[in-house]
Every structure is written in structure tokens, then in C-alpha cells.
Amino acid sequence: LTVRFRVFRSGRGEEECRYDVFEVEEWEGMTVLGGLFAIKEEQDGSLAFRYSCRGAVCGSCAVLINRVPGLACRTQVRDVKNGGRVLELRVHGPLALPEITWLPPGEVLVEPLPGFKVVRDLVVDIRGFFRSYRRVTPWFRDGASEPGAGRMSPEDREKVRPYANCILCGICCAACPVHRRDPGFLGPAALAKAWRFISDARFREKEEVLRVVDSPRGVWGCDTVYMCTQVCPKEVPPTQGITAMRRLLLKEAVKKALGGGEG
Ligand code: SF4
Ligand code: FES
């Protein structure tokens, strides 16, 4: 049994971009990443893609599979090779990629994540993504690891848990319509990370981080369409975190206004 991979290629200074079709022998349990390896090893050593852990932990292998962003190492070929109409609904809105609306059965479409500059083939430039991440400074400062400072109640742990699962794969940003039209938007991953720390009882710099996200390119820029929450492979709910930070900021503003009125 064979499967065909239609793979996006670019970055060689030739034509803008092209699609190459590779026929690969399918095996039981084959993942999209497995298919890309088979192509690289047996047919075209110049194919460029990123990976590291191969176990859905590092987030490096995020690509667009049949126009839906996902982890190549976690996506089973048998689940995505059935052909038919290519749905773009889950990535919401037009992509800066050639129009492909239908795939024949037995074929898998693999493209780079949208919303990021393509470096070569399936490799995208994620430096902006990590710049946004660093802007929200999502880490404990000195002193947070003093004895006793690391203790959390089970309730507090539950609050933080869904957000702590983020593997920084960038899939949420690829699906986010705001991030695609404005790369300066902090993006769902950085905002989810900000909430992960703001909602952590041990974190002392909540005010500092709230000031960073309180902007039209921060929590107020979100369209609240839940695309990020839908596509996240680790079930992180960025939109819920963004909404929670908005509520916190509104509460603060109301308190300030009322306090000012009383004074
Ligand atoms: S929130 Fe989910 S989709 Fe976004 S970077 Fe983290 S793990 Fe990936
Ligand atoms: S290779 Fe690490 S998440 Fe896929």
C-alpha cells in the first residue's frame, strides 16, 4: 500500500514555490513525520523540515496537514489520507498559500505553518514567536525557589495545569486570524503563558505582566474565535486565559474609577 505526500517546497531562489508529490510505502502506525523521513532518506535528501523529540513533546514538527495545523509526529497517516475537500474552516480565513480545494484519496497535503515566514520547504521562522514569549516574561524571578515558596494548593495547581502543558509549537498562532494579519500581535501562546503565571499564586510579578498584555496587540486584540483552543495539540485553552485577563483588567479599571469617584 502506498501513500502520496504533496509537499510544499520553496526557499531555493528558483520559482516562488512549488509542490512535489512523493509516493511512499505505507506501514502500520506511520505518522506524517515518518513519511517525511522516508522521503528524505529514500527520495530527496534536500527536503527541509523540523523535528526533535518525535513524541509530541518539543513542538518542533508543527506543520499544516491538509490545511489544518498539527504535529507531524502525532498525526497518523491513516487518519489524513482519505482525500476529498480540503477544509480551511479550522484555520479560519484565507491563507497565503496557493488554492487547493480537493485532494484525491491516498494523498496527504503537507505545508508550512501559515502566519510565519517560510525559511525553506516546511521550516518557518519562529523568532518572532519567541520574542512575544519573552515579552511576557513567563518565568519565576529570584526568590521564588526559596524553601516553601514552591508549594501550591491542589486548587491552585488545577487552575494552572491546563496552561502549563504548552509545548510552544506555534500551532495556535498559525490558526489565529489576528496573528496572521498582524505579526505584532502577542499571540495566543504568549498570552496563554502570561495567564499561566498571573494565575499562579506563587508569582509575584502579576502587575508587571498584566501591564504588558493590556494593549490592543495583547489581550484586547483577540477576536475571540477560539481557533487556538480548537487546534492546540495539548488542550491548552488560550482564549479562556485571554478572557480571564480581560476580566481582571476590567475589574481593576472599575475599582480604580469607583475609588477615584469616592475620593
Ligand atoms: S498553546 Fe497549544 S498550540 Fe499554542 S504553542 Fe502552546 S501547545 Fe502549541
Ligand atoms: S518532533 Fe517533537 S513534537 Fe513532534
Side-chain angles (χ1 to χ4, degrees):
L1 198 62
T2 60
V3 58
R4 279 184 313 280
F5 286 88
R6 184 173 294 270
V7 185
F8 180 93
R9 311 296 303 269
S10 88
R12 287 172 178 73
E14 306 148 9
E15 69 270 44
E16 187 71 352
C17 70
R18 65 172 199 265
Y19 287 84
D20 285 347
V21 178
F22 301 95
E23 204 140 305
V24 179
E25 200 68 40
E26 191 182 342
W27 62 86
E28 181 64 28
M30 180 192 207
T31 61
V32 171
L33 185 64
L36 295 175
F37 271 116
I39 295 167
K40 194 169 177 71
E41 280 158 17
E42 293 154 23
Q43 301 186 44
D44 185 345
S46 73
L47 177 64
F49 55 92
R50 290 177 66 229
Y51 71 95
S52 181
C53 69
R54 304 197 199 190
V57 175
C58 72
S60 305
C61 67
V63 285
L64 204 57
I65 303 163
N66 295 353
R67 293 274 154 104
V68 177
L71 294 177
C73 71
R74 206 174 84 161
T75 307
Q76 293 281 315
V77 166
R78 67 163 178 266
D79 296 336
V80 288
K81 63 160 191 186
N82 296 322
R85 204 155 78 82
V86 176
L87 289 176
E88 289 193 20
L89 290 179
R90 293 188 65 194
V91 287
H92 197 76
L95 301 168
L97 288 166
E99 190 179 324
I100 295 180
T101 52
W102 192 84
L103 280 182
E107 192 164 306
V108 182
L109 178 63
V110 191
E111 296 166 298
L113 283 186
F116 296 91
K117 193 171 169 287
V118 178
V119 177
R120 190 176 170 118
D121 299 339
L122 304 173
V123 178
V124 292
D125 185 347
I126 50 168
R127 284 176 297 182
F129 175 83
F130 281 102
R131 265 197 300 276
S132 294
Y133 173 77
R134 282 192 296 271
R135 272 187 59 204
V136 301
T137 58
W139 50 78
F140 289 105
R141 320 293 196 259
D142 288 349
S145 54
E146 283 164 9
R151 293 224 184 96
M152 289 177 96
S153 68
E155 298 77 41
D156 282 346
R157 200 168 52 233
E158 273 317 291
K159 250 200 262 168
V160 167
R161 192 187 47 78
Y163 297 91
N165 288 340
C166 174
I167 56 170
L168 298 172
C169 62
I171 284 175
C172 52
C173 291
C176 170
V178 186
H179 182 263
R180 288 214 306 276
R181 64 176 184 255
D182 176 15
F185 175 49
L186 269 176
L191 291 170
K193 225 22 138 180
W195 178 242
R196 179 256 173 269
F197 279 85
I198 289 171
S199 61
D200 190 318
R202 303 164 300 172
F203 190 60
R204 297 179 199 149
E205 288 77 17
K206 293 174 207 258
E207 265 309 307
E208 191 189 299
V209 178
L210 262 180
R211 296 288 74 87
V212 177
V213 302
D214 183 12
S215 105
R217 285 176 144 182
V219 291
W220 305 109
C222 171
D223 276 359
T224 333
V225 287
Y226 289 87
M227 287 297 157
C228 51
T229 302
Q230 247 189 70
V231 296
C232 175
K234 292 291 172 179
E235 290 167 15
V236 179
T239 320
Q240 285 84 333
I242 292 168
T243 314
M245 287 186 280
R246 282 178 173 178
R247 269 201 303 270
L248 210 61
L249 286 163
L250 283 174
K251 239 164 119 180
E252 256 188 16
V254 169
K255 217 163 129 189
K256 216 164 146 188
L258 289 179
E262 278 161 16

